[in-house]
Amino acid sequence: MGDDNGLVIVYTGKGKGKTTAALGVAFRATGHGMRTCMIQFIKGSWHYGEMSSSKRLEPEFELTAVGKGFVGIMDDSSPKEDHEKIAKEAVRISKEKILCGKYDIVILDEINYAVNLGLVSVDDVMDLIRNKPKNLSLVLTGNHARDELIDAADLVTEMREVKHPFQRGIRAKKGIDY
């Protein structure tokens, strides 16, 4: 980055593209030789494209999938307590990655959704923001971003769904949705 100040960026809203936007930041940063770590709070149990492609961006890009699948929907049969325990571990790992000094950017993927589900507290996320190194950029993704997080951010983009193929019965597509 051109200056010493990292940004707090929030990608939120009901529309598709929040994780994709964060991955775009990582892709761009990798081109500048910057180091990015992405910690996924929810999408841990499925195989999706970014798991494979992220390996091609190593060592500048590191993906850590901590979450236990899509909580409460689709294939999820785990008790909420399991998700809460894993989310607390994801917060601990996030703090470690944020403070280690190795990264220029840390992406906390689906953390807003984890807060909305009650798996992670807003206070925990605010602590991550307050305690981040000055030069580190922090990206928070997921629907339902809390007002406190929006207020703390430097950049907030809300994805708004205008039209989605699922409305016409078209299922998720490899390479587009996962």
Side-chain angles (χ1 to χ4, degrees):
M1 298 191 169
D3 61 31
D4 288 355
N5 294 320
L7 300 174
V8 175
I9 300 168
V10 174
Y11 294 123
T12 192
K14 292 182 180 178
K16 180 177 166 18
K18 298 171 289 290
T19 297
T20 305
L23 287 167
V25 169
F27 187 72
R28 180 175 288 152
T30 299
H32 290 287
M34 297 169 70
R35 295 185 65 100
T36 303
C37 177
M38 179 179 219
I39 298 147
Q40 295 194 306
F41 276 72
I42 304 290
K43 300 175 184 172
S45 70
W46 286 8
H47 181 82
Y48 38 91
E50 56 259 39
M51 288 180 75
S52 298
S53 60
S54 68
K55 292 181 183 357
R56 297 179 181 196
L57 298 177
E58 291 175 352
E60 288 84 5
F61 181 76
E62 174 188 314
L63 176 65
T64 303
V66 183
K68 191 173 169 45
F70 291 84
V71 184
I73 58 170
M74 307 194 63
D75 66 341
D76 181 42
S77 59
S78 304
K80 188 173 182 191
E81 295 76 27
D82 288 0
H83 290 291
E84 288 169 348
K85 183 178 175 188
I86 290 166
K88 283 182 184 16
E89 176 68 3
V91 169
R92 187 194 65 73
I93 290 168
S94 298
K95 184 175 184 178
E96 181 181 295
K97 300 288 187 182
I98 288 166
L99 297 177
C100 75
K102 180 178 173 185
Y103 304 101
D104 300 292
I105 301 167
V106 173
I107 299 167
L108 305 177
D109 188 44
E110 298 290 2
I111 195 166
N112 295 326
Y113 193 52
V115 169
N116 186 60
L117 290 170
L119 302 175
V120 174
S121 76
V122 176
D123 290 341
D124 283 344
V125 182
M126 289 301 296
D127 283 345
L128 294 174
I129 292 170
R130 276 191 291 271
N131 295 314
K132 78 170 192 66
K134 182 180 174 187
N135 62 338
L136 179 106
S137 287
L138 193 58
V139 181
L140 312 164
T141 76
N143 197 7
H144 309 290
R146 295 289 171 91
D147 290 342
E148 300 94 318
L149 303 178
I150 289 171
D151 290 345
D154 299 295
L155 169 67
V156 178
T157 298
E158 182 176 359
M159 310 298 187
R160 183 176 66 89
E161 183 178 300
V162 175
K163 187 177 183 180
H164 196 290
F166 188 75
Q167 297 162 341
R168 295 190 336 234
I170 299 171
R171 297 184 62 119
K173 298 269 186 207
K174 187 188 316 183
I176 301 291
D177 297 302
Y178 63 93

